Amino acid sequence: MTQNPPRPCSRCGIPVAPGQRFCSNCGATVDISAADPTAHAEDSGQGAQVHDMSTERGAPPPTAYGSAAPIHDMSTVSATPPPPPETYAQNPPTPLYSSYQPPVQNPQQGFQPTPAFAQPPMKDSSKSVLGQLGCGVGIVILLIVLVCGAGTFVLYKFVTSTSTNATQPGSSTSQNGNSTNNANVTPTPAPVVTTQIGSTIAYKSVDVTIISVQQSTSFSDDSSTSNSPYVIRLQLKEHNSSANNVAIYYSDAARLLLPDGTTVTPANTSSDLGSIPQATDHTGWLDFPLSTNVKPEQLSLQLGTNTEAKIKIPLTARADLSQYKTKTATPNTKIQYAGLTWTVTSATISMSAAGTQVDAGKRFLTLTLKVDNSTSQGFTAYYGNYIRLQAGGTTVSPDSSTNFPTSFAAQSTGTTGTVIFIVPDNTSSFTLILLAQPNSSPAISQASTTFQIP
């Protein structure tokens, strides 16, 4: 079997193993035809030469740029028996090309390889690749975050719009394939909590009774408080026992007092309240919106405008309202004036009279007088000209709401009338004065009487 010897590299001269296409030292391409005896022989025009392997060990290697290396006859080598083992021990075989020295090349004849130390260092492309991968991963993560954020926002808007449409009037929902119109659907209010009160107070000559207090989030018959978290409803009864038609404007006169001293204006009043003809009864409600839930016992109803004497009614059962109650006395004191007998049959202190609420810091004093004329002549005079009342250090004339007769017939008895005065608050001792009339004929002297209201 014929074996091909190693051949030198055409660039650097280092031996190249048979069949190797590239030099392991410089990476140059190796001419395979140099190892093919037939091709080499054809190129040189000579027949193949077979050399004796016994003489081959001392033969010098072929030159890098000389003639082609001789072709060995592998059949001769194979026919020659190997030497005995003793011969190897004494004369070990000399390795093939052991004395080989690379030929010195002429710088002008061939390519001079660049020394390894002079070659530029190769750029580490792994760092560039890792950098590109890191940048790409960052971009991918950013895109994922943006997509997730956009998806979350769209889902949130969808859920909120769906829930809003489900509760707004005019929206529709689908249940089991059936569409339901919510145009007339209203939110279910919280259960109504009712507290019985039963307190009665006189305001503008009308007895106002707080029947009960109701608490809820809304009431179906009052849409004005639908946006309030809580609503306090006062059930009221009005009784007008006076001889006058009375109008109460609750939007001006009614306030709900909170524990911190702030006030709440009623949001709405039932149509049954406010206009009370004489000798009639009405029932209805007042609604007050609240931002927080407050217990009724912490609240009070205030009646009275900014200029009027105010009434504060705690929203509890059996509240003490004695300071606002009407006080009445029956002095039955008599005065002789102009030949007539004047008797103070009753005296009343109150905060309202004749459908009017008294001013702040004042009270109404209503006197009922009985006049007996036993003379043969009638008496005619305007009450505002001769009737006065002294309360403390103040002397006042009758109020315009007074309804008192201006004449008393001769031989008449039991004629009655009322005279109303506005007096300072917290006054209990009074003096009724009938002024002198010096220019009348005959002349009339002044007369007075004193009485008290405990």
Side-chain angles (χ1 to χ4, degrees):
M1 179 175 180
T2 305
Q3 296 181 355
N4 295 329
R7 58 194 181 283
C9 175
S10 60
R11 178 181 296 179
C12 63
I14 298 301
V16 179
Q20 184 173 341
R21 294 182 56 85
F22 303 96
C23 177
S24 61
N25 181 48
C26 66
T29 304
V30 179
D31 188 6
I32 304 176
S33 63
D36 188 353
T38 305
H40 190 77
E42 291 175 355
D43 293 340
S44 61
Q46 298 177 357
Q49 298 180 2
V50 179
H51 301 277
D52 188 356
M53 294 302 294
S54 61
T55 62
E56 189 63 23
R57 291 183 296 177
T63 62
Y65 301 101
S67 61
I71 306 302
H72 302 279
D73 188 356
M74 297 306 295
S75 61
T76 307
V77 175
S78 301
T80 305
E86 300 84 343
T87 306
Y88 282 96
Q90 298 174 359
N91 300 312
T94 303
L96 200 60
Y97 301 112
S98 61
S99 60
Y100 170 78
Q101 296 294 331
V104 179
Q105 298 181 359
N106 189 348
Q108 298 179 357
Q109 293 182 356
F111 172 79
Q112 289 293 334
T114 304
F117 64 87
Q119 294 180 2
M122 296 182 65
K123 184 178 181 180
D124 188 3
S125 61
S126 61
K127 295 183 179 180
S128 177
V129 173
L130 290 177
Q132 295 176 1
L133 288 176
C135 182
V137 171
I139 294 176
V140 171
I141 293 176
L142 178 60
L143 291 177
I144 292 175
V145 171
L146 292 176
V147 171
C148 292
T152 303
F153 177 78
V154 172
L155 179 61
Y156 168 78
K157 295 297 290 183
F158 174 78
V159 172
T160 54
S161 62
T162 302
S163 61
T164 302
N165 293 333
T167 57
Q168 289 181 346
S171 63
S172 61
T173 57
S174 177
Q175 297 179 352
N176 300 326
N178 298 323
S179 178
T180 302
N181 190 359
N182 295 328
N184 298 322
V185 175
T186 57
T188 302
V192 177
V193 179
T194 302
T195 303
Q196 299 298 326
I197 304 298
S199 298
T200 301
I201 197 70
Y203 174 72
K204 297 183 73 171
S205 302
V206 175
D207 292 332
V208 179
T209 301
I210 303 176
I211 301 173
S212 64
V213 179
Q214 294 180 319
Q215 297 171 279
S216 184
T217 56
S218 63
F219 292 92
S220 60
D221 55 351
D222 185 8
S223 60
S224 63
T225 57
S226 58
N227 294 328
S228 302
Y230 302 96
V231 180
I232 291 291
R233 168 169 287 188
L234 302 183
Q235 293 285 351
L236 303 181
K237 177 182 177 181
E238 301 168 328
H239 173 65
N240 182 8
S241 60
S242 71
N244 303 298
N245 297 331
V246 179
I248 299 177
Y249 302 100
Y250 287 102
S251 59
D252 295 332
R255 294 292 184 270
L256 191 67
L257 298 181
L258 302 183
D260 60 358
T262 58
T263 61
V264 180
T265 302
N268 200 3
T269 305
S270 64
S271 59
D272 299 332
L273 295 182
S275 179
I276 315 103
Q278 57 179 332
T280 58
D281 294 344
H282 281 168
T283 57
W285 46 260
L286 295 178
D287 281 354
F288 297 87
L290 295 181
S291 59
T292 58
N293 192 15
V294 183
K295 295 181 179 180
E297 58 267 25
Q298 297 177 306
L299 303 172
S300 297
L301 174 64
Q302 176 180 284
L303 292 178
T305 64
N306 292 333
T307 61
E308 295 174 343
K310 296 178 178 58
I311 303 171
K312 181 180 177 182
I313 311 168
L315 299 184
T316 58
R318 298 179 298 276
D320 183 10
L321 303 175
S322 59
Q323 60 178 321
Y324 308 115
K325 293 294 186 179
T326 298
K327 299 178 181 180
T328 302
T330 56
N332 287 321
T333 59
K334 297 181 182 297
I335 306 173
Q336 295 296 320
Y337 178 74
L340 285 69
T341 302
W342 307 69
T343 303
V344 181
T345 60
S346 69
T348 302
I349 290 289
S350 64
M351 298 181 69
S352 62
T356 304
Q357 187 74 4
V358 74
D359 291 340
K362 304 292 184 177
R363 290 294 184 267
F364 285 116
L365 173 61
T366 303
L367 295 180
T368 302
L369 302 178
K370 184 180 73 169
V371 179
D372 298 324
N373 186 3
S374 60
T375 68
S376 59
Q377 296 180 349
F379 177 82
T380 301
Y382 172 61
Y383 60 85
N385 292 333
Y386 66 92
I387 298 179
R388 298 291 184 269
L389 182 74
Q390 183 177 351
T394 303
T395 300
V396 295
S397 300
D399 186 68
S400 59
S401 58
T402 295
N403 183 16
F404 192 76
T406 57
S407 64
F408 302 92
Q411 301 298 318
S412 64
T413 60
T415 304
T416 61
T418 58
V419 183
I420 301 175
F421 303 92
I422 298 177
V423 298
D425 189 14
N426 300 321
T427 304
S428 60
S429 180
F430 307 94
T431 299
L432 176 63
I433 303 173
L434 302 179
L435 297 176
Q437 303 291 326
N439 298 325
S440 65
S441 180
I444 301 173
S445 300
Q446 178 175 307
S448 63
T449 184
T450 301
F451 59 92
Q452 292 185 344
I453 302 178

